[in-house]
Amino acid sequence: MAFETGTATSIGNLMYKLFIFAQANGYTADQPIVGTNPAVPFECALSKGSIFVGFKTRQAYGVTYLNMYPARGFTPGQTVGNHPETGAAISTSSLDGAISSYHFFEGDDYLHVVLRMSDGRHRHFGWGSMTKFGDWA
């Protein structure tokens, strides 16, 4: 299992660092991040084997959101959210300003992110694939 911890100056800087970490652990940047600290809004996408995930940032009601879109594939030229069998957006909010610390955890088929926004205030998100265990429908 790979692990990284650090700080980020913004959500754009965090996503840049996440993409570097993910690529070092076998992911492909299907839609790379442009620059080390892109301004909101921006889009980007990663894949590893059969795992595809896209990200969009946006601002609404004075708050920055990170929307994550799981998908079953990637089509060059399409915007995030319009790739094959894209799932509903999963949002993480209140991502304005610096992130006091982050933690990335990566296994063979899962990546998890923990953001420490301030004392006692954290945000979590992750993606990957699940393997059915046992006999259930």
Side-chain angles (χ1 to χ4, degrees):
M1 174 187 265
F3 173 82
E4 179 180 310
T5 189
T7 62
T9 58
S10 69
I11 186 60
N13 183 237
L14 173 85
M15 293 304 292
Y16 169 78
K17 291 177 178 188
L18 177 58
F19 265 55
I20 297 298
F21 176 80
Q23 289 175 83
N25 288 284
Y27 281 83
T28 298
D30 296 315
Q31 185 174 342
I33 290 181
V34 178
T36 61
N37 193 15
V40 172
F42 65 86
E43 295 185 7
C44 48
L46 288 167
S47 66
K48 182 178 183 182
S50 63
I51 301 168
F52 295 87
V53 63
F55 301 92
K56 281 186 184 181
T57 59
R58 65 183 176 93
Q59 290 189 323
Y61 311 107
V63 176
T64 300
Y65 292 82
L66 175 66
N67 293 338
M68 183 172 64
Y69 295 83
R72 297 268 183 184
F74 178 81
T75 305
Q78 290 291 325
T79 59
V80 170
N82 292 310
H83 296 292
E85 296 183 52
T86 298
I90 303 162
S91 295
T92 302
S93 64
S94 300
L95 298 173
D96 300 291
I99 297 165
S100 60
S101 67
Y102 66 80
H103 306 280
F104 301 151
F105 305 90
E106 194 276 333
D108 290 338
D109 56 3
Y110 182 74
L111 201 150
H112 191 84
V113 178
V114 179
L115 308 177
R116 181 178 178 267
M117 306 306 290
S118 62
D119 287 341
R121 190 170 148 241
H122 297 79
R123 298 282 185 264
H124 293 252
F125 65 93
W127 66 90
S129 66
M130 297 171 59
T131 302
K132 181 179 175 180
F133 180 77
D135 186 22
W136 50 275

